[in-house]
Amino acid sequence: MNNKHKKGFIAMFLAAPLSFGCAGIVHAEEMFVEIKKEYRTTIKDEDGRSQFKDVYEKDGMIYRLKSVQIDKVEEIAPGDTVTYESAPFVGSFEEYAPEEAIERNGKKYILKTSELTKVITEETTKYSEASIRYKGVEYIDALPEDAEVKVIYEDLKQELKVRLPAVDYKEEGTYWDYNFTFPITVTGYDGDSYMLGQTEISNRSPLIDYGDQFLDYLNLPPQYYKIARIEWDGDPVRKDGEMIRKATAYGRKLVKDIRGTYGGDVTFPSIDANIYHGAYIEEDAENQTGQLIYRKQATAIYERHGRIGLWNFLKWLLTNTVTLSILTILLIVFIILAIVKKRTKRKRNAE
């Protein structure tokens, strides 16, 4: 290859990358470069410099950050929040842990934070109730106006026995009890008749015929008590100068099962316990941080500082596919021309 060809090839080799602006030497070089960015921050007076690199490389040139200008600021308020605090509790954490999502007034809220803390509860006075079920209560029975009951503070797993007044009675069932019996004593049995209260009864009459009179004598309402049979208990005996005879009445009585509820203020002592705290944020809110966010638009101004070094240029060159491809083609052409020239020279020498 003669000198003329060599010079032409070298010129072409250098012109290729320069014509594409790869090295930033031939084309007009920029003195300043602007880069725009939109970002979010919780700091109102943040100047935006932390959003940009101090050095920017472009087309083989180095630019250094000169200034940052904030073009626009928009405040984004946090979404609606809902706080949660469990009652003091002892026992299973899972039972009192805040749920992952809740709904309030048609909106869905997502759990943002939760915290478990230990506390010592204060002596607590709260209204408490307990009940007692009374079975087979008769018409003539009177239920107690107060009772000793066991009350439980479920969250703190505390149990106390206290005496509380009755606040309610509630029927839970009505049925006939066929084990009803009561004793009967008749006087004046040595004559043809005897007296049952103000009623004279003939010795020859069956006692069952006077069942209603026996109930009336005992002040037992017939709608609640029924006599099925009456049987004598042994022979007549003399007592205090009179002949008496005893009998037993058998029948049924209408009874009820009644639940008595006893309630009042009960004081529970202090105890070591746990409390869950949670914070929820509206699911569809743009700002879910729980604090005010500033959306900013910033423009960074970079000033040209010089060309990048050879090593950095080579690295840049390797990343620029177009330029590298052109140089590779030119290198192949150069090798082919060299081979052709060499063969031509040998051929001439051989002749």
Side-chain angles (χ1 to χ4, degrees):
M1 181 181 294
N2 55 35
N3 290 334
K4 183 178 180 180
H5 288 162
K6 287 182 179 180
K7 290 179 180 180
F9 181 80
I10 292 171
M12 182 173 60
F13 184 83
L14 293 174
L18 296 178
S19 64
F20 284 92
C22 298
I25 297 174
V26 176
H27 67 76
E29 295 171 345
E30 300 172 284
M31 289 299 297
F32 298 96
V33 173
E34 290 187 2
I35 299 178
K36 294 183 180 293
K37 181 181 289 188
E38 182 180 291
Y39 66 98
R40 297 186 180 196
T41 178
T42 57
I43 304 173
K44 182 178 181 179
D45 298 326
E46 197 269 337
D47 60 9
R49 294 188 70 92
S50 62
Q51 302 296 319
F52 300 92
K53 296 180 179 179
D54 291 331
V55 177
Y56 175 69
E57 296 178 5
K58 179 182 179 183
D59 297 334
M61 299 299 296
I62 295 177
Y63 296 84
R64 292 195 179 277
L65 183 62
K66 180 178 178 62
S67 63
V68 176
Q69 175 181 325
I70 303 299
D71 303 315
K72 182 180 178 181
V73 178
E74 180 182 354
E75 293 184 355
I76 304 175
D80 292 340
T81 58
V82 175
T83 58
Y84 166 82
E85 182 174 296
S86 71
F89 68 92
V90 173
S92 171
F93 295 148
E94 292 79 6
E95 183 179 350
Y96 296 89
E99 298 179 1
E100 291 298 322
I102 60 174
E103 285 193 8
R104 294 287 188 277
N105 301 320
K107 293 182 180 180
K108 188 174 182 180
Y109 295 83
I110 304 300
L111 182 64
K112 195 71 175 177
T113 61
S114 65
E115 181 184 10
L116 180 68
T117 58
K118 293 187 176 297
V119 296
I120 298 177
T121 65
E122 297 181 354
E123 186 179 84
T124 304
T125 299
K126 58 178 293 187
Y127 180 82
S128 302
E129 285 186 352
S131 65
I132 299 175
R133 189 169 187 252
Y134 298 100
K135 301 182 67 175
V137 180
E138 295 186 46
Y139 164 80
I140 59 175
D141 290 336
L143 296 179
E145 295 182 356
D146 58 65
E148 185 177 72
V149 293
K150 181 174 69 175
V151 293
I152 302 175
Y153 194 160
E154 290 288 353
D155 294 333
L156 299 181
K157 303 296 185 287
Q158 289 179 295
E159 297 184 1
L160 296 177
K161 282 188 175 181
V162 293
R163 181 165 291 276
L164 296 174
V167 295
D168 185 40
Y169 296 109
K170 189 173 184 179
E171 294 183 10
E172 294 188 343
T174 301
Y175 52 93
W176 287 101
D177 181 358
Y178 288 85
N179 295 318
F180 170 58
T181 62
F182 65 90
I184 299 173
T185 300
V186 297
T187 59
Y189 193 79
D190 52 344
D192 294 333
S193 63
Y194 53 88
M195 299 298 295
L196 180 63
Q198 302 298 319
T199 303
E200 183 178 2
I201 300 176
S202 171
N203 284 341
R204 295 184 296 273
S205 298
L207 293 177
I208 191 60
D209 292 346
Y210 297 91
D212 289 343
Q213 283 80 0
F214 279 108
L215 292 177
D216 184 60
Y217 177 71
L218 297 172
N219 292 320
L220 299 177
Q223 64 266 36
Y224 294 106
Y225 298 88
K226 303 292 183 183
I227 295 178
R229 72 181 192 278
I230 302 176
E231 296 179 357
W232 292 112
D233 294 336
D235 297 328
V237 296
R238 183 172 294 279
K239 184 177 180 180
D240 298 330
E242 287 188 305
M243 292 294 294
I244 63 172
R245 192 174 187 182
K246 294 184 177 181
T248 301
Y250 298 89
R252 65 183 189 271
K253 56 184 176 180
L254 191 64
V255 296
K256 299 178 180 181
D257 289 346
I258 298 177
R259 183 169 297 277
T261 300
Y262 300 86
D265 289 336
V266 178
T267 300
F268 294 89
S270 63
I271 190 174
D272 291 336
N274 304 292
I275 290 181
Y276 260 117
H277 304 273
Y280 292 85
I281 192 75
E282 187 179 349
E283 182 182 39
D284 298 327
E286 183 179 0
N287 177 4
Q288 295 189 349
T289 64
Q291 55 185 325
L292 192 65
I293 284 181
Y294 300 92
R295 179 162 55 199
K296 298 185 177 184
Q297 290 181 355
T299 301
I301 308 297
Y302 286 85
E303 185 177 14
R304 192 180 68 187
H305 195 264
R307 294 183 177 87
I308 61 177
L310 177 60
W311 176 246
N312 288 332
F313 171 74
L314 292 176
K315 288 194 296 181
W316 168 84
L317 189 61
L318 289 174
T319 60
N320 194 312
T321 306
V322 175
T323 304
L324 187 60
S325 298
I326 294 173
L327 292 178
T328 302
I329 294 171
L330 293 176
L331 181 60
I332 293 172
V333 171
F334 175 77
I335 293 172
I336 293 173
L337 290 176
I339 294 173
V340 170
K341 182 181 178 183
K342 187 174 182 180
R343 288 181 179 178
T344 301
K345 186 175 180 180
R346 286 180 180 177
K347 186 176 180 181
R348 288 176 180 175
N349 292 336
E351 292 177 352

